[in-house]
Amino acid sequence: MIADTLRMVRLGLKSLLLHKLRSTLTTAGILFGVASVIAMLAVGEGASAETLKQYRDMGVTNVLLRSKKPEETQQSSSNSMMSILGYGLFYQEADRIQNLLPYATVVRTREFQRGLVHGENWASTMIVGTEVPFLTVTNMQVHEGRWLTELDLQRMSNVCVLGSSLARALFPLESPIGQTVLVGIEDRFEIVGILEYQGRAASPNGTTLDECAFIPLSSSRRRFGDTIRNPSTNRYENIELHEIKVKLGSMEEVEGTAGVLEHMMRPAHASKKDYEITVPLELLRKAEATQRMFNLVLAVIASISLLVGGIGIMNVMLATVTERTREIGIRRALGAKKKHIVQQFLVEAGVLSALGGVAGVGLGVLVPFGIEKWFNQPTSIQPQHVLLAFGISALVGVVFGIYPAWRAANMDPVEALRHE
Amino acid sequence: MVVKAPAAPSAAATETVAPVSTDALPIIAEFVDVHRHYVMGKDNVVRALNGVSMQVKKGDYLAIMGRSGSGKSTMLNILGALDRPTSGEYRVGGRDVSKLDDDDLSDVRGREIGFIFQSFNLIPQLTVLENLEVPLFYQGRVGPESRKKAEYLADRVGLGRRLEHKPMELSGGQQQRVAIARALMNDPLFLLADEATGNLDSNTEKEILDLFDDLRKDAVTIVIVTHNPKVAERADNTLWLRDGKVDRLVDNRLASSAAGDGGHP
Ligand SMILES: Nc1ncnc2c1ncn2[C@@H]1O[C@H](COP(=O)(O)OP(=O)(O)O)[C@@H](O)[C@H]1O
Ligand SMILES: [Mg+2]
């Protein structure tokens, strides 16, 4: 059985080699179809992988509340230079959330921009005042030294943990642990730890976690206060908290809790929309849905090229069948049943498209590499997409080979033998 | 070889015919009042075969002759199980195959009949060996055995060791030898040759006809359709067709001794 199939494939190849150019061109039709399916899906997958990772990093069991600068009205901007702009989340609100959700982990953060100086090295960066659970809620790891402790917070110690890039910028040669940095003009902080490289954003302004310095929230409030000059607008702004991260026990709780929090927060912020609730899980789901849609569209486009390849196969097989009418007659005279003739031409069509499929997989895997290398566009080749593309190509060969094979099998043997 | 009156068909042909016939050899192929009509239009029916009865016995060497249009090709197609009679019986190896369906007819061709064609009809992209194995492939019998058999038959027909050659690399005579070997691969009941030497020069024609004579030592039965009298007279008997009927049956072994054989009008 297997030997017979192998024989059919081998002899099929021989027949295809009768017309090398024609077979090669037909194969190329399938090749480009398969390659484009794989490459397109890899690009689509790569483009969305970045976004999906970003949302996953935000934590799928988290609900994030973030202060947002309210839209300024005419009136408020007229006296903008004198007054202090107050907005955002309050310490008190974080406490209320914790009371409402006793099993949730609630982490408060305060962010501001400052220069950090160590000897000759200087960096202006984001200082994040936060609490102990921040590390686990954001899923970061300590590379060297230690993270902030409850004691640091109680004592309002001047200790700080550096992101990996920041550590390298300030301390290119030595270990920063135990050293001090000057934060702003007068506050010296002792460096107690360095974080692992994270490669992801810390805030919507694009600063990465690796560029941040983390200090106890209590120390932040005590040394720097709640009122800070916003360097971009040159205005004083009073903000208690930039963010409240609420980590829940499971993904199932996320949606309901987000609604409850929204409801709870609304009265205090009724006059101005100065905060927003982000649910990473929702964003993730939306992004995934978008990605599926995108993939589907890509797959349909690419499948059209496979369809074109399939029509090429049908064309060639019809020509082959006509040219080899005599051969069909001979085979029928030598005992071939209709099914044998069908098999023979289906195998030939299948071999043609499978060859195109294999070559297409090769090219389809190479192209994304090139795109990544020369266009710096992330791609991701999924094994199931490769299988899909190859499977479709094999199917195309069989489907488009059926009609020519059927035509061949239904020729009258006497007529076929008489054919010149 | 016996031509029987259509009025005397028989179920157990071998038994009933034996007393009439000169010997008791088994009947391999038998036409019983075979008609083959082509309906061309309402009132236009071409009776290509119009009541033919005949028998081929094991070891026979029969030539079928006749003018153009007399029904030779039609008869060959039915003998070869490529076509079915409109009416009448065609028995192969004692079995009526005239009403078999396409698949069963294919099996009859594959197992019982060895075709030899005027234009050799080898499959060009296949090697000699692969060509020889084609009939067995459709019986699911390709393997080491078939290779041995191919080697034996190639030797038997005088091809020597040319199994890996392509047909194009062989002369016409050699190609026809391959075709003869291929026809013998399935141990058919009879060889059915259609103008087997029509494409060959006279020397090569003689070689092939000599090969036929040689094969008869192995009790191979041969039916050859031809319009070349030189070819026909090498057979034991010649069946003359005329207007779709058997005109006469000539025993060439008797006729050849008499100078200038009766011929036909
Ligand atoms: N497929 C066909 N359709 C119609 N008429 C046919 C067909 N085949 C043969 N005939 C007719 O049947 C008669 C016998 O033809 P054929 O068997 O080819 O004779 P031969 O081979 O002796 O020349 C001829 O009159 C021919 O025209
Ligand atoms: Mg003819």
Side-chain angles (χ1 to χ4, degrees):
Chain A
M1 196 56 224
I2 291 166
D4 277 4
T5 311
L6 284 178
R7 185 186 174 86
M8 279 163 74
V9 170
R10 186 169 61 80
L11 298 186
L13 266 172
K14 272 194 175 186
S15 306
L16 294 171
L17 287 174
L18 283 177
H19 298 278
K20 290 192 189 68
L21 182 62
R22 194 168 80 180
S23 299
T24 309
L25 291 177
T26 314
T27 301
I30 294 292
L31 185 159
F32 290 119
V34 170
S36 63
V37 171
I38 294 174
M40 278 178 147
L41 288 175
V43 170
E45 196 74 30
S48 62
E50 201 86 326
T51 321
L52 296 181
K53 181 179 182 302
Q54 196 185 317
Y55 293 144
R56 250 178 237 124
D57 287 344
M58 287 164 77
V60 286
T61 57
N62 293 354
V63 176
L64 309 175
L65 297 94
R66 202 168 171 88
S67 296
K68 189 178 85 174
K69 195 170 173 180
E71 311 242 326
E72 285 191 67
T73 59
Q74 259 349 58
Q75 195 191 3
S76 62
S77 60
S78 61
N79 51 11
S80 60
M81 284 327 225
M82 4 278 293
S83 67
I84 293 171
L85 181 65
Y87 67 88
L89 304 163
F90 304 109
Y91 280 91
Q92 213 192 341
E93 287 176 317
D95 296 340
R96 281 172 62 201
I97 292 172
Q98 185 69 83
N99 287 339
L100 186 73
L101 309 167
Y103 298 108
T105 309
V106 178
V107 184
R108 302 167 290 182
T109 67
R110 177 72 173 89
E111 299 159 2
F112 54 95
Q113 199 77 20
R114 274 292 187 282
L116 261 62
V117 185
H118 170 76
E120 313 235 296
N121 299 318
W122 177 90
S124 171
T125 192
M126 197 163 93
I127 317 287
V128 179
T130 189
E131 300 174 284
V132 179
F134 185 91
L135 189 75
T136 49
V137 168
T138 53
N139 194 24
M140 295 197 297
Q141 296 81 34
V142 175
H143 176 69
E144 201 185 333
R146 65 169 177 85
W147 176 243
L148 306 174
T149 61
E150 290 298 346
L151 204 61
D152 294 332
L153 274 117
Q154 274 171 32
R155 289 183 181 165
M156 302 181 210
S157 321
N158 277 12
V159 292
C160 100
V161 175
L162 301 184
S164 66
S165 313
L166 181 61
R168 209 166 323 113
L170 292 176
F171 300 91
L173 302 171
E174 38 189 335
S175 167
I177 307 291
Q179 310 253 25
T180 59
V181 278
L182 187 62
V183 178
I185 359 179
E186 48 181 13
D187 300 284
R188 291 208 159 267
F189 277 72
E190 186 193 344
I191 296 160
V192 294
I194 316 281
L195 295 173
E196 287 284 2
Y197 176 76
Q198 302 298 322
R200 51 188 158 115
S203 84
N205 73 14
T207 310
T208 66
L209 286 168
D210 306 301
E211 296 164 315
C212 293
F214 301 87
I215 62 173
L217 181 64
S218 51
S219 320
S220 155
R221 193 170 205 195
R222 173 150 159 203
R223 312 276 168 225
F224 306 98
D226 295 333
T227 306
I228 284 164
R229 192 174 59 88
N230 181 333
S232 56
T233 57
N234 227 353
R235 239 184 113 175
Y236 284 94
E237 295 178 353
N238 188 304
I239 305 170
E240 289 195 3
L241 294 173
H242 276 91
E243 193 173 54
I244 303 173
K245 293 178 191 285
V246 182
K247 185 180 172 65
L248 302 168
S250 71
M251 289 197 275
E252 286 71 42
E253 299 166 51
V254 168
E255 231 164 289
T257 307
V260 170
L261 291 181
E262 174 86 63
H263 193 77
M264 189 194 95
M265 303 283 291
R266 201 178 296 143
H269 302 267
S271 59
K272 49 188 195 282
K273 184 68 184 141
D274 60 351
Y275 80 99
E276 62 187 357
I277 295 189
T278 308
V279 182
L281 183 67
E282 252 170 40
L283 296 176
L284 180 69
R285 297 249 159 93
K286 271 189 202 137
E288 279 172 346
T290 311
Q291 190 221 337
R292 274 195 294 275
M293 196 60 217
F294 190 59
N295 277 357
L296 191 70
V297 171
L298 288 182
V300 167
I301 293 172
S303 299
I304 291 173
S305 59
L306 270 176
L307 191 76
V308 174
I311 292 170
I313 286 198
M314 181 137 144
N315 209 351
V316 161
M317 289 315 293
L318 283 174
T320 299
V321 164
T322 306
E323 284 167 5
R324 287 160 65 198
T325 299
R326 169 69 76 112
E327 177 188 328
I328 293 161
I330 298 168
R331 288 178 181 276
R332 295 285 272 136
L334 298 179
K337 297 177 180 161
K338 286 185 180 179
K339 72 164 191 212
H340 292 125
I341 303 296
V342 168
Q343 270 169 14
Q344 180 189 343
F345 286 99
L346 276 188
V347 164
E348 283 184 30
V351 166
L352 211 50
S353 63
L355 284 179
V358 170
V361 166
L363 185 65
V365 169
L366 282 181
V367 165
F369 273 110
I371 291 176
E372 215 157 279
K373 188 151 186 258
W374 289 301
F375 298 97
N376 220 16
Q377 161 85 25
T379 61
S380 163
I381 298 166
Q382 304 289 311
Q384 71 267 27
H385 292 165
V386 174
L387 278 177
L388 177 85
F390 184 76
I392 292 178
S393 78
L395 199 69
V396 158
V398 173
V399 166
F400 286 86
I402 284 175
Y403 175 64
W406 179 86
R407 277 244 307 234
N410 282 284
M411 287 176 176
D412 175 30
V414 173
E415 298 288 330
L417 274 170
R418 208 181 292 156
H419 195 265
E420 274 318 301
Chain B
M1 174 70 223
V2 173
V3 177
K4 253 182 358 149
S10 58
T14 322
E15 250 54 62
T16 43
V17 169
V20 190
S21 139
T22 49
D23 47 34
L25 287 171
I27 296 167
I28 280 169
E30 181 178 24
F31 270 30
V32 182
D33 193 24
V34 167
H35 289 253
R36 179 66 170 98
H37 300 171
Y38 294 103
V39 180
M40 305 306 287
K42 227 177 160 193
D43 307 310
N44 183 8
V45 176
V46 179
R47 297 169 197 277
L49 291 183
N50 195 9
V52 174
S53 296
M54 52 82 81
Q55 293 175 343
V56 180
K57 287 189 173 174
K58 186 162 173 59
D60 274 355
Y61 187 2
L62 172 71
I64 296 170
M65 285 195 79
R67 285 193 207 166
S68 174
S70 59
K72 299 186 297 293
S73 296
T74 305
M75 187 162 174
L76 176 108
N77 291 339
I78 294 177
L79 275 170
L82 290 164
D83 193 11
R84 274 173 294 218
T86 311
S87 70
E89 274 185 22
Y90 174 39
R91 307 182 141 268
V92 179
R95 179 167 75 127
D96 184 8
V97 302
S98 55
K99 294 184 181 61
L100 294 183
D101 67 12
D102 191 272
D103 276 4
D104 289 338
L105 271 188
S106 302
D107 270 337
V108 170
R109 293 194 294 267
R111 293 178 208 275
E112 320 289 18
I113 296 158
F115 279 95
I116 300 164
F117 303 93
Q118 175 171 4
S119 45
F120 322 134
N121 277 350
L122 300 176
I123 298 172
Q125 70 268 28
L126 304 186
T127 63
V128 167
L129 174 66
E130 285 160 355
N131 265 288
L132 293 184
E133 285 176 331
V134 169
L136 293 189
F137 179 73
Y138 295 123
Q139 314 291 324
R141 284 162 56 198
V142 165
E145 290 296 306
S146 63
R147 201 199 155 95
K148 266 192 213 122
K149 184 154 197 184
E151 281 168 358
Y152 165 77
L153 283 173
D155 210 42
R156 179 76 181 84
V157 301
L159 265 177
R161 316 237 139 261
R162 291 200 179 79
L163 288 177
E164 300 305 330
H165 287 235
K166 288 278 176 72
M168 289 289 278
E169 299 158 12
L170 303 178
S171 70
Q174 286 169 334
Q175 289 189 46
Q176 195 60 304
R177 286 170 195 272
V178 176
I180 293 167
R182 183 177 67 184
L184 291 166
M185 281 293 284
N186 55 356
D187 299 312
L189 284 175
F190 61 99
L191 292 185
L192 183 58
D194 179 14
E195 211 68 81
T197 58
N199 282 13
L200 301 173
D201 63 64
S202 55
N203 280 338
T204 318
E205 173 176 275
K206 195 180 159 299
E207 282 172 26
I208 295 296
L209 294 176
D210 290 347
L211 175 59
F212 282 165
D213 284 342
D214 189 36
L215 290 175
R216 296 194 63 210
K217 288 181 199 151
D218 301 344
V220 172
T221 310
I222 303 170
V223 177
I224 179 164
V225 174
T226 180
H227 52 239
N228 183 347
K230 271 199 218 130
V231 172
E233 73 194 12
R234 298 279 300 254
D236 292 348
N237 297 290
T238 301
L239 179 87
W240 284 89
L241 285 180
R242 185 180 189 170
D243 297 335
K245 291 186 186 219
V246 176
D247 186 35
R248 58 209 156 92
L249 180 74
V250 179
D251 189 328
N252 297 326
R253 290 160 296 192
L254 305 176
S256 57
S257 50
D261 92 287
H264 84 120

